Amino acid sequence: MSKSEKKLFLLDAMALIYRAHFAFSKNPRINSKGMSTGAVLGFTNTLVEILSKEKPSHIAVAFDTSAPTFRHKQFEPYKANRQEQPEDIQMAIPWVKKLVKAFDIPCLEKDGWEADDIIGTIAKKAARENFTVYMMTPDKDYGQLVEEKVFLYKPAFMGNGVDIMGIPEVLKKWDIERIDQVVDMLGLMGDAVDNIPGIPGVGEKTAVKFLKEYGSIENLLKHTHELKGKLKEKVIENAELALLSKKLATIDIDSPVAFDEESLVFHGPNVDEVKAIFDEMEFRTLAKRMFGTETASPTVELSGEQLDMFATAAKEEEPEAIIPSDKGSIANIPHDYILINSPELIKSLIQYLSLQKAFCFDTETTDLDAIEAQLVGLSFSYIPHEAYYVPVPEKREDAQKLISQFKEVLENPNIIKIGQNLKYDMLVLRKYDIDVSGPIYDTMLAHYLIDPETRHGMDYLAERYLNYTPVSITELIGKKGKNQGSMRDVALKEITEYAAEDADITLQLQKILAPLVKKDNQEKLLNEVEFPLVEVLAAMEFEGIRVDKENLAEFSKELEIEIGELEKEIYDLAGEHFNISSPKQLGEILFDKLKIEEKPKKTKTGQYATGEEILSRLAIIHPLPSKILDIRELQKLKSTYVDALPKLISPTDGRVHTSFNQAVAATGRLSSTNPNLQNIPIRTDRGRLIRKAFVARDENHVLLAADYSQIELRLMAAFSKDETMVLAFNEGKDIHAATAAKIFKVPLEEVDSSMRRKAKTANFGIIYGISAFGLSQRLAIPRKEAAEIIEAYFREFPGVKKYMEECIEKAREVEYVETILGRRRYLRDINSRNMTMRGFAERNAINAPLQGSAADLIKIAMINIHEWMKKEKLKSKMILQVHDELIFDARKDEVELLKTHIPRLMSDAIKLGIPVLVEVGTGNNWLEAH
């Protein structure tokens, strides 16, 4: 997934439960068992609203525990003023946890830490991994965590709409200049709810006045001599209390909770478990809207109208649910699913398939990994509600004999093959000597173009477009994990129904999605780019790439030695042995013993901060921080890449087979998983050496890498037609140096490396709508200087500014933007009243056409290269696509031919009217080739 698509919601459970409780307190909901269900219903409404309206890719809910926290140890009366937890809330908490788990969402909690510490820690870690994070809570204290990609999401309540707060909104709300001053405000004012004392007599106005004048509590206490009267006395008398209050109000972003990206992915609810809870709670309206069924017993409604989380008065007005009502299923929709298990029936089925213009097919296998999977069965459908299942024997020889009978019809170039995620089925069948041919129609890819930012799985599409709930795989083989069964163990009758249903439902979906694709003018893109690319990607995944295990093992040993040597150097510099991995012990060495910095920064827990940013700054004045950074980098390289890659080598052929994801990034870009080759580090010398382990298949081959140079800047020049930028590319100038010469107003020959670096960052940042704040952070320069660079940039490249403004203006009219081939990115928040949401949409209006067009370009190139190599009957293979780069396993006797034609096919994929430069290199490994 590309960085703009990873959207994480973190919900503060207790804050939302309390809010729901008070929303229903005057008009409570009691079910027939006498249970008060308002708090659970209110929380459920909130959760469903988020899932259906915001569509997070990742989500988690954080809970407090009953254990004392580190704050209680620092200040015994912490939260002592709070009233005893209402009985309704005590009852609601375990039900909310059950409900969250039923939605297959992780519950996060840790004894000794509060939910806000857990959310703060995960939010910061996720933001560093290019997530956009929304902390969902009504708690104002979370404002201290807000940064460029982390937002406070205050839910709708009692008639007020959702309030999303980014940096500008938080600063405005508190009337402060910096985000870190939120904790100073809390420290000065105190917090009656949490029994944080603050300075008695200091309210919001006085706190704002102090911070405008002195910037922080610490600086205020240095200047108490400037204060007057009773206020001066109060500040002096309560100085320690103010510092303690600030500490208590500071959210700990280093709490001991791991950030596991995969575990936070939202795959959808467990329908049966959610139904069971709704039945127990008697959420009749919500159950009907989500599942088309009502709960068993009527709810006892008190005081007539009910209040919920989203309106001042409503009768259980739930938000739009994820799952539509009046569901069909295999149990209530007439169907004819037939088992084909004799030679006569197989022959008859093949004859009927050969007469069709199109048919749908699906494979049942033993593994999600197509390279390792064995066929269990094939299903076919060509008439809605009618399908056929062919079981495949376990013994390989018998399986091959049966499957070969379908070779002719599956390879028939005149029959359209319909399927869901056909690349998987094509890969599995390749191992049985079947090369699926002819036009294809992949429902997953069709929906990807219709609505790129939602899910595209068959179950989801069936719910959304057919009002149908398919049989769940977990009903057959259980949930994911070590105890999950195999499709081979499923009874023949059950697997027939399940597999045939897959083919039938996919056929029905194709008939619904095809007109929608046509309505959105996406047919050409689908038929000429996305569908032909499936064959290309299947071929690339099937080939895989050789990884030199010996090289990695040797590299691992080298890293181990280097890490050992660095440890010795660190101990020598420190003058003692200590746990280098312990931030606490490291902080004590740096600041207590070596006193590297006079006033070191501390974390929320009171220990010294030793993050990368701080160590990088201190590395200039002392060698120890630099060594710590070095050892951290080597340890991460070793564990994450060098020692992990050999485990991904396929036992089948000894090669690594990444999976290319065609329907993940909303921009149209491809991504890869298992392994994720997009994330192999290339910015450091040591990181780049990972590529050395990816090698040519044998001594008769080399790796050839072909890479688009600065393609998105060239696309910007082509789209904006900015005269200066177009001229620079046409004359073959160094675009970053040319930009630096323009914005710093110096001759080209006088541009130094610092100017060029700033210009390069501006070039790539500005086309993605970077703010002065973002540019200042990236370049480590004052915001004013960053603003001046952006201003100078637009002054020198007026065509770029005009184009960006036109993109936004057009997007406001139609609420989407398009790439060079018409790929759409919908921007439904472009006219939002919320400044933060609107700002996101405006930045996407500028960069989505660039990223998407770059994706269109390389996809067309891949299709053309694949066809050319097939036509020429070349033995070389295209094996990888990473960002704007293509990698080939090239036979040595074909290298010169490839070097001639591949750059041409890449450059000519789409005519831009701007020179498109492709750089080509070869080598025995990826590092040499790149």
Side-chain angles (χ1 to χ4, degrees):
M1 176 176 297
S2 71
K3 61 185 177 184
S4 60
E5 281 69 47
K6 297 201 287 187
K7 185 176 183 181
L8 169 63
F9 265 76
L10 298 169
L11 279 61
D12 183 343
M14 292 309 300
L16 295 171
I17 291 169
Y18 265 91
R19 173 169 277 214
H21 166 73
F22 289 119
F24 285 94
S25 60
K26 290 184 181 178
N27 297 277
R29 290 184 57 83
I30 308 287
N31 69 9
S32 61
K33 303 176 187 72
M35 186 191 304
S36 177
T37 60
V40 183
L41 175 63
F43 181 90
T44 309
N45 281 339
T46 304
L47 181 62
V48 174
E49 173 84 349
I50 287 303
L51 296 176
S52 62
K53 297 288 176 64
E54 296 294 347
K55 297 180 174 60
S57 59
H58 299 68
I59 189 169
V61 180
F63 290 80
D64 296 323
T65 71
S66 56
T69 70
F70 64 90
R71 293 182 182 87
H72 292 95
K73 295 172 187 174
Q74 294 169 351
F75 185 61
E76 196 174 334
Y78 178 67
K79 292 196 175 180
N81 286 351
R82 286 201 170 177
Q83 295 179 351
E84 188 176 344
Q85 199 174 71
E87 188 178 329
D88 289 355
I89 287 179
Q90 291 177 27
M91 182 282 301
I93 292 168
W95 279 104
V96 167
K97 284 186 178 178
K98 277 182 72 174
L99 187 112
V100 170
K101 288 171 183 173
F103 272 83
D104 201 17
I105 294 170
C107 296
L108 308 177
E109 54 186 3
K110 187 80 175 175
D111 280 347
W113 278 264
E114 295 179 69
D116 52 5
D117 302 313
I118 293 168
I119 287 174
T121 301
I122 298 291
K124 296 292 184 179
K125 287 179 178 177
R128 289 197 292 273
E129 297 295 329
N130 290 320
F131 278 76
T132 300
V133 185
Y134 295 90
M135 306 173 295
M136 187 170 188
T137 177
D139 189 345
K140 64 184 185 302
D141 299 6
Y142 281 72
Q144 65 187 272
L145 300 170
V146 166
E147 59 181 63
E148 192 169 17
K149 292 177 77 67
V150 178
F151 298 86
L152 175 54
Y153 190 106
K154 298 181 76 172
F157 185 64
M158 305 299 286
N160 295 317
V162 168
D163 189 12
I164 299 176
M165 301 179 73
I167 294 169
E169 291 84 2
V170 172
L171 297 182
K172 183 179 178 183
K173 176 178 175 57
W174 291 90
D175 195 12
I176 52 179
E177 295 175 356
R178 305 187 315 273
I179 288 293
D180 61 274
Q181 290 177 317
V182 170
V183 288
D184 290 282
M185 286 288 291
L186 294 167
L188 289 166
M189 296 160 48
D191 187 336
V193 175
D194 289 344
N195 201 31
I196 295 175
I199 298 177
V202 172
E204 185 173 345
K205 286 185 180 178
T206 308
V208 168
K209 180 175 174 290
F210 279 157
L211 292 183
K212 285 193 183 301
E213 198 162 344
Y214 300 106
S216 68
I217 290 177
E218 291 82 355
N219 203 36
L220 166 67
L221 298 179
K222 288 179 187 174
H223 293 83
T224 51
H225 60 278
E226 297 175 12
L227 306 178
K228 294 176 183 177
K230 287 189 177 180
L231 193 58
K232 177 179 180 178
E233 290 175 19
K234 284 183 178 177
V235 172
I236 292 171
E237 285 172 12
N238 295 284
E240 290 303 316
L241 207 54
L243 290 170
L244 175 62
S245 296
K246 179 176 177 178
K247 199 171 185 180
L248 293 171
T250 300
I251 293 171
D252 183 1
I253 58 169
D254 292 312
S255 62
V257 287
F259 172 63
D260 180 4
E261 178 176 332
E262 190 59 35
S263 70
L264 304 179
V265 174
F266 181 64
H267 297 291
N270 184 313
V271 173
D272 292 339
E273 290 180 16
V274 174
K275 277 183 179 178
I277 294 171
F278 282 11
D279 191 60
E280 184 76 12
M281 291 281 105
E282 297 171 9
F283 293 164
R284 299 172 60 226
T285 306
L286 186 55
K288 188 171 183 180
R289 294 192 60 167
M290 287 185 72
F291 308 115
T293 56
E294 293 188 1
T295 52
S297 310
T299 301
V300 179
E301 296 189 349
L302 305 182
S303 306
E305 293 188 324
Q306 307 302 316
L307 292 180
D308 70 4
M309 304 274 283
F310 307 103
T312 50
K315 288 188 178 177
E316 198 189 326
E317 287 293 332
E318 278 79 32
E320 178 186 345
I322 321 163
I323 308 168
S325 60
D326 303 315
K327 282 280 176 295
S329 73
I330 204 164
N332 59 26
I333 298 290
H335 60 275
D336 195 6
Y337 296 161
I338 300 165
L339 175 64
I340 303 295
N341 62 346
S342 71
E344 294 76 23
L345 287 172
I346 289 172
K347 186 177 178 183
S348 177
L349 174 62
I350 292 169
Q351 183 184 352
Y352 279 110
L353 291 173
S354 67
L355 298 173
Q356 307 306 314
K357 290 182 180 176
F359 62 77
C360 180
F361 82 96
D362 187 38
T363 59
E364 297 305 328
T365 67
T366 57
D367 203 310
L368 288 173
D369 183 339
I371 301 300
E372 305 305 324
Q374 296 173 10
L375 263 175
V376 174
L378 287 165
S379 55
F380 298 90
S381 179
Y382 50 86
I383 299 171
H385 308 293
E386 184 178 305
Y388 307 88
Y389 178 66
V390 185
V392 173
E394 186 171 354
K395 191 177 176 183
R396 177 68 196 220
E397 188 180 326
D398 294 340
Q400 185 64 60
K401 188 177 177 182
L402 184 147
I403 294 163
S404 295
Q405 296 177 68
F406 289 88
K407 183 177 175 70
E408 187 176 343
V409 73
L410 285 167
E411 292 186 350
N412 188 323
N414 301 313
I415 301 174
I416 300 169
K417 316 301 186 303
I418 300 165
Q420 166 78 14
N421 189 16
L422 272 169
K423 175 162 65 71
Y424 176 87
D425 305 296
M426 291 163 75
L427 269 169
V428 171
L429 290 170
R430 264 178 180 257
K431 297 188 302 179
Y432 294 85
D433 192 34
I434 291 180
D435 189 5
V436 176
S437 306
I440 65 166
Y441 199 101
D442 192 322
T443 48
M444 178 183 76
L445 296 179
H447 188 256
Y448 172 59
L449 293 191
I450 292 166
D451 194 356
E453 299 197 62
T454 57
R455 289 176 284 155
H456 315 294
M458 191 204 77
D459 288 3
Y460 173 78
L461 297 181
E463 303 273 8
R464 180 171 175 180
Y465 293 99
L466 300 174
N467 241 359
Y468 186 94
T469 304
V471 175
S472 168
I473 184 75
T474 58
E475 290 178 34
L476 272 71
I477 61 173
K479 291 184 178 180
K480 283 183 184 177
K482 62 180 181 180
N483 296 323
Q484 189 177 51
S486 165
M487 290 300 279
R488 286 216 187 276
D489 305 326
V490 180
L492 198 54
K493 183 180 178 183
E494 290 178 5
I495 199 171
T496 297
E497 292 280 288
Y498 171 82
E501 181 190 58
D502 277 358
D504 172 27
I505 295 302
T506 301
L507 181 73
Q508 292 181 50
L509 284 170
Q510 189 271 338
K511 295 182 183 303
I512 288 174
L513 296 177
L516 296 177
V517 170
K518 188 173 183 179
K519 180 175 74 74
D520 290 344
N521 297 315
Q522 301 290 289
E523 274 187 314
K524 186 178 172 69
L525 179 63
L526 193 60
N527 292 322
E528 296 183 12
V529 180
E530 298 299 342
F531 287 165
L533 189 66
V534 173
E535 181 189 331
V536 180
L537 296 178
M540 289 166 66
E541 288 184 25
F542 189 78
E543 286 300 324
I545 186 168
R546 186 176 153 217
V547 171
D548 187 342
K549 280 198 292 188
E550 289 72 24
N551 176 283
L552 286 171
E554 191 60 39
F555 192 16
S556 183
K557 288 177 189 172
E558 287 175 23
L559 288 174
E560 202 168 321
I561 293 167
E562 284 188 56
I563 289 167
E565 290 171 349
L566 273 170
E567 284 176 349
K568 187 175 182 305
E569 291 174 29
I570 287 167
Y571 296 146
D572 289 343
L573 287 166
E576 64 177 89
H577 278 63
F578 67 99
N579 183 354
I580 296 167
S581 299
S582 165
K584 184 176 184 294
Q585 291 185 34
L586 174 61
E588 288 166 357
I589 293 288
L590 291 173
F591 305 117
D592 287 340
K593 182 175 182 180
L594 299 179
K595 300 190 186 303
I596 289 177
E597 193 168 40
E598 189 179 336
K599 293 177 182 174
K601 186 179 177 183
K602 290 193 175 183
T603 67
K604 317 306 182 231
T605 56
Q607 68 186 41
Y608 295 114
T610 57
E612 185 179 342
E613 185 183 334
I614 287 168
L615 293 179
S616 298
R617 176 168 52 78
L618 296 176
I620 302 166
I621 56 176
H622 196 282
L624 183 55
S626 177
K627 300 290 182 189
I628 298 294
L629 288 170
D630 289 344
I631 201 169
R632 285 181 183 177
E633 183 205 341
L634 296 187
Q635 286 169 336
K636 181 176 180 182
L637 276 177
K638 187 174 185 299
S639 62
T640 309
Y641 303 105
V642 179
D643 294 342
L645 267 173
K647 297 171 186 173
L648 295 171
I649 295 172
S650 167
T652 305
D653 60 6
R655 296 167 74 81
V656 168
H657 300 264
T658 189
S659 293
F660 291 102
N661 305 313
Q662 204 174 340
V664 170
T667 56
R669 289 272 196 186
L670 294 172
S671 64
S672 71
T673 48
N674 299 321
N676 180 352
L677 299 179
Q678 317 282 349
N679 278 1
I680 290 178
I682 56 171
R683 289 200 178 102
T684 62
D685 291 338
R686 274 291 181 217
R688 280 190 288 273
L689 287 175
I690 301 291
R691 291 189 169 198
K692 192 176 178 183
F694 291 84
V695 296
R697 66 179 61 217
D698 55 37
E699 64 277 3
N700 297 318
H701 289 76
V702 292
L703 291 188
L704 182 148
D707 195 0
Y708 281 116
S709 173
Q710 301 165 338
I711 190 60
E712 286 171 15
L713 286 177
R714 293 172 193 271
L715 285 163
M716 174 58 90
F719 293 169
S720 70
K721 297 183 172 54
D722 182 273
E723 291 180 9
T724 306
M725 196 176 272
V726 169
L727 187 65
F729 280 124
N730 282 337
E731 292 181 352
K733 290 180 181 175
D734 175 345
I735 188 65
H736 302 312
T739 301
K742 282 285 182 185
I743 63 178
F744 294 114
K745 297 198 176 299
V746 296
L748 191 61
E749 57 274 12
E750 290 181 22
V751 170
D752 60 29
S753 59
S754 174
M755 291 176 183
R756 188 184 183 279
R757 180 178 66 88
K758 289 177 181 177
K760 181 178 180 179
T761 305
N763 265 329
F764 288 114
I766 287 169
I767 65 172
Y768 293 119
I770 199 168
S771 62
F773 174 78
L775 188 61
S776 70
Q777 283 200 320
R778 205 168 292 179
L779 289 173
I781 59 175
R783 196 185 299 193
K784 186 169 183 255
E785 185 184 340
E788 287 168 356
I789 289 174
I790 292 174
E791 190 181 328
Y793 187 97
F794 285 137
R795 193 167 53 245
E796 296 302 329
F797 298 98
V800 172
K801 184 171 178 61
K802 183 170 180 285
Y803 167 75
M804 290 166 77
E805 289 169 347
E806 287 172 351
C807 279
I808 293 169
E809 198 54 45
K810 186 177 178 185
R812 285 201 182 108
E813 292 175 21
V814 296
E815 295 195 342
Y816 64 82
V817 289
E818 291 184 318
T819 67
I820 198 166
L821 294 184
R823 182 187 306 278
R824 289 186 182 181
R825 177 75 184 273
Y826 291 94
L827 304 169
R828 297 175 178 94
D829 295 327
I830 193 76
N831 294 307
S832 171
R833 292 180 186 175
N834 183 284
M835 189 173 77
T836 302
M837 296 170 76
R838 188 174 66 250
F840 264 128
E842 287 173 353
R843 285 192 288 278
N844 275 329
I846 296 163
N847 68 54
L850 297 170
Q851 281 197 29
S853 295
D856 292 345
L857 185 71
I858 200 163
K859 285 178 176 179
I860 293 285
M862 291 166 74
I863 293 164
N864 292 347
I865 290 168
H866 180 78
E867 287 302 315
W868 170 73
M869 291 176 76
K870 265 175 64 175
K871 184 182 171 187
E872 296 293 321
K873 296 184 169 58
L874 298 185
K875 300 288 196 322
S876 301
K877 304 290 183 183
M878 180 163 51
I879 54 172
L880 288 182
Q881 185 274 342
V882 179
H883 302 302
D884 300 317
E885 180 179 9
L886 297 177
I887 315 296
F888 300 81
D889 227 333
R891 270 183 64 105
K892 289 179 179 177
D893 57 359
E894 294 175 353
V895 165
E896 291 309 313
L897 187 66
L898 294 170
K899 278 185 174 180
T900 302
H901 289 277
I902 286 171
R904 173 184 61 79
L905 290 164
M906 289 176 72
S907 298
D908 294 347
I910 302 173
K911 296 293 185 185
L912 298 180
I914 296 283
V916 174
L917 183 64
V918 176
E919 297 169 343
V920 178
T922 57
N924 293 317
N925 59 63
W926 188 5
L927 181 65
E928 287 178 11
H930 186 79

